[in-house]
Amino acid sequence: MKEDKFEIQAVDFISGSMTEDEARRFEKFLDENPRYQEKFNDLQDAWGMMEEIDSPKPSEKMDEAFFEMLSNEMDKQRSKSSKSGLLSWFPIIFKPQLAYGIFLLALGLGIGYVLAPTTASGPTEVLVANHETEEVRQKLVLTLLEQPSANQRLQGVSEANKFENADEIVIKALLQTLNSDSNVNVRLAAIESLTNYVDNPTVRQGLVQSIPNQESPLLQITLANLMVALQEKASIEPFKQLLQEKQLDTTVKKRIEKSIQSII
Amino acid sequence: MHNLTDNVLMIKVKEGDLDKLGLLYERHKRRLFGFFYHMGNNPSVSEDLVQNVFVRILKYRKSYTGEGSFTAWMFSMARNVNYDHHKKVAKESISREISPEDANSGFEDGLNDQMDHEGNKALLNRALGLLADDKREVLLLSKYRELKFHEIAKILGCTEGAAKVRVHRALKDLKTIFLQLETT
């Protein structure tokens, strides 16, 4: 047997790493080779010595130091995990899904902005709607002014006040009310309503023409005040005609004369 | 069975259950201490080195794969710790190490005259101390029956056969030194 092989087998034998067969064969080999047997005995002695070698006990200080180190490490781990709890939100924020979502939202807003109807179309629609409302109101005013009930006619006049720009038809209807309505209150309301359109020559003319037709002192004074305010020189002639009326109230007469003076 | 449990414990440590390292420490502290002590470190240094091994185990716990025994993994770390320590000491050129025979001789010699058995042990410790470092190391590793030779070979970075040959020659040297000490 080669020396190397013997060395390996001897170690296998004493350490108990051999199978029974191998061990038996090795023992037989030793029996047949006393030189190796001697070597083996020395080896076994030394192996036995190693068994006897022991070391002093470590002190309790070693345990203390170890468990202190371990508990420090555990505390560190705990604080780390609580920190990572907070930090774990960041990856969620930067997840590709979320970025994709935000991108889609931005894209949607962009497309919406581009495809949105132009701002000009809005007012057009509002104008159309307003126009329709005006038409309906016009019909309402005309209908209400023809009603037999003074109350409803008053309502009609107040509806007419709501027009931003009353058209010819409404103005004619109001002037007709002013000249021929049986109720003084309705006529007064008509004057009030017509004062909104004094810039319109038709209105001014209509108001001037209605002066001789008015019999109520209340209306005569209201018209006189209005003409003074408007400085309408064309009203002087109708007022002079009115002054010639014998039944004219003296207070009204004075007032009209004063008005004529202030207009001139 | 014991090995398996060690491995399971270490896997738990790896997964963050650091508490389990306490159990592993209790199981192996004596052996590690003995290893460092017989590798020529005084008891206090040996205790520090045991601590260093467990610090390393914690530090490198993620690298533990569970393949092979925990003891083998632990001893390969212990070997590195011992190597690093001696390199450091040599660098500082302050040899604080006191070999076990020196540490013990002072007070043990007197006692040994009376107790022959104890005297043999002291002699044996001295013989071990006089062995070359690599031989002492391989003997100490083979002393722990849990380590198979293929594991010792892995720790030492050689083949299994070479490890056995080293053990054999180390034992032979130990016996020779012991006999020499006995006769003087």
Side-chain angles (χ1 to χ4, degrees):
Chain A
M1 188 186 274
K2 275 188 184 171
E3 193 69 25
D4 274 9
K5 206 178 167 191
F6 167 74
E7 285 177 339
I8 291 172
Q9 284 196 353
V11 170
D12 277 342
F13 186 84
I14 55 170
S15 66
S17 328
M18 272 184 164
T19 63
E20 271 183 44
D21 269 3
E22 285 171 334
R24 231 175 284 134
R25 237 176 291 144
F26 185 71
E27 280 173 339
K28 202 182 158 198
F29 165 79
L30 289 179
D31 284 344
E32 290 163 4
N33 298 278
R35 193 170 64 90
Y36 280 109
Q37 178 73 55
E38 205 177 313
K39 278 185 182 179
F40 178 75
N41 289 344
D42 280 350
L43 196 75
Q44 213 167 14
D45 276 356
W47 185 256
M49 282 177 189
M50 280 305 294
E51 295 288 304
E52 279 185 41
I53 283 179
D54 57 6
S55 44
K57 272 188 186 172
S59 70
E60 282 177 8
K61 236 170 66 190
M62 183 171 93
D63 290 353
E64 281 169 23
F66 169 78
F67 285 105
E68 197 187 319
M69 180 276 290
L70 186 61
S71 75
N72 284 345
E73 200 65 32
M74 282 162 80
D75 286 346
K76 233 189 272 171
Q77 192 194 32
R78 235 170 277 143
S79 66
K80 228 187 239 176
S81 67
S82 63
K83 258 186 209 168
S84 69
L86 269 176
L87 289 172
S88 65
W89 286 98
F90 287 99
I92 294 171
I93 291 169
F94 296 113
K95 259 185 180 175
Q97 289 94 321
L98 195 84
Y100 189 62
I102 289 169
F103 169 73
L104 281 181
L105 183 70
L107 192 73
L109 285 172
I111 290 173
Y113 185 75
V114 170
L115 296 183
T118 52
T119 44
S121 67
T124 312
E125 275 170 25
V126 174
L127 278 180
V128 169
N130 278 353
H131 185 66
E132 280 172 10
T133 324
E134 298 272 279
E135 272 180 13
V136 173
R137 185 166 288 147
Q138 189 189 14
K139 279 177 189 163
L140 178 70
V141 169
L142 295 177
T143 315
L144 284 171
L145 287 178
E146 284 169 10
Q147 294 302 309
S149 155
N151 208 7
Q152 283 183 319
R153 293 202 299 277
L154 264 178
Q155 207 183 330
V157 175
S158 70
E159 275 295 315
N161 279 333
K162 292 177 187 170
F163 284 111
E164 280 179 20
N165 281 304
D167 61 1
E168 290 295 306
I169 300 167
V170 175
I171 286 168
K172 272 183 185 169
L174 283 171
L175 285 172
Q176 201 185 337
T177 307
L178 174 65
N179 290 325
S180 56
D181 201 282
S182 54
N183 190 296
V184 179
N185 290 325
V186 176
R187 277 181 275 159
L188 263 177
I191 290 177
E192 229 168 84
S193 180
L194 283 166
T195 52
N196 293 329
Y197 315 107
V198 285
D199 292 340
N200 189 330
T202 320
V203 175
R204 291 174 88 117
Q205 206 186 334
L207 283 169
V208 170
Q209 281 171 359
S210 80
I211 293 170
N213 302 333
Q214 303 303 332
E215 287 169 0
S216 159
L218 204 60
L219 277 162
Q220 286 162 347
I221 288 174
T222 308
L223 276 172
N225 286 343
L226 184 62
M227 290 307 139
V228 172
L230 294 173
Q231 291 290 305
E232 182 58 64
K233 290 200 165 84
S235 66
I236 296 170
E237 204 51 40
F239 277 131
K240 279 182 179 173
Q241 276 180 35
L242 202 63
L243 284 173
Q244 285 162 14
E245 296 266 338
K246 285 174 185 169
Q247 295 141 342
L248 196 68
D249 188 278
T250 46
T251 318
V252 176
K253 207 173 179 178
K254 279 180 189 167
R255 178 76 207 165
I256 288 173
E257 282 172 347
K258 209 181 169 186
S259 295
I260 290 170
Q261 290 301 315
S262 60
I263 291 169
I264 293 166
Chain B
M1 194 59 201
H2 190 69
N3 253 343
L4 181 78
T5 324
D6 275 356
N7 283 15
V8 168
L9 286 175
M10 189 55 216
I11 295 277
K12 289 201 169 179
V13 171
K14 184 185 175 180
E15 286 165 355
D17 192 357
L18 301 189
D19 223 8
K20 296 286 182 287
L21 193 73
L23 284 174
L24 289 169
Y25 168 80
E26 288 296 345
R27 279 183 192 174
H28 298 285
K29 64 177 182 183
R30 283 295 300 273
R31 247 177 290 189
L32 277 175
F33 178 80
F35 176 76
F36 288 123
Y37 178 79
H38 290 298
M39 282 307 287
N41 303 291
N42 70 33
S44 149
V45 169
S46 300
E47 286 180 2
D48 288 348
L49 296 180
V50 171
Q51 173 95 333
N52 285 356
V53 171
F54 283 95
V55 168
R56 277 200 195 197
I57 287 176
L58 269 183
K59 194 174 169 189
Y60 298 110
R61 62 181 185 272
K62 300 280 178 207
S63 72
Y64 184 71
T65 56
E67 286 168 26
S69 74
F70 168 76
T71 316
W73 189 66
M74 182 183 75
F75 268 108
S76 59
M77 279 202 187
R79 194 171 173 253
N80 289 335
V81 164
N82 190 53
Y83 178 77
D84 289 351
H85 171 72
H86 284 266
K87 206 166 81 177
K88 201 176 140 198
V89 167
K91 216 176 178 182
E92 289 171 357
S93 23
I94 307 162
S95 183
R96 264 171 286 153
E97 66 176 86
I98 303 161
S99 56
E101 68 278 2
D102 293 338
N104 296 334
S105 57
F107 58 94
E108 272 184 10
D109 275 353
L111 294 170
N112 292 345
D113 292 337
Q114 296 154 3
M115 301 169 82
D116 198 39
H117 184 66
E118 286 300 313
N120 261 357
K121 262 193 181 175
L123 217 56
L124 202 58
N125 278 339
R126 282 183 71 186
L128 191 66
L130 290 171
L131 261 183
D133 279 353
D134 58 333
K135 286 181 176 164
R136 206 181 328 144
E137 185 180 60
V138 79
L139 281 186
L140 289 170
L141 290 175
S142 64
K143 186 173 146 73
Y144 307 114
R145 293 295 157 77
E146 279 169 33
L147 288 173
K148 303 277 174 270
F149 276 104
H150 71 88
E151 287 171 338
I152 294 173
K154 207 176 160 190
I155 294 170
L156 299 177
C158 63
T159 64
E160 193 178 334
K164 286 173 186 170
V165 170
R166 273 197 214 180
V167 168
H168 188 113
R169 292 181 184 169
L171 284 172
K172 215 166 112 181
D173 283 4
L174 179 71
K175 172 93 187 191
T176 312
I177 294 171
F178 180 78
L179 289 176
Q180 277 174 358
L181 286 174
E182 212 174 28
T183 50
T184 50

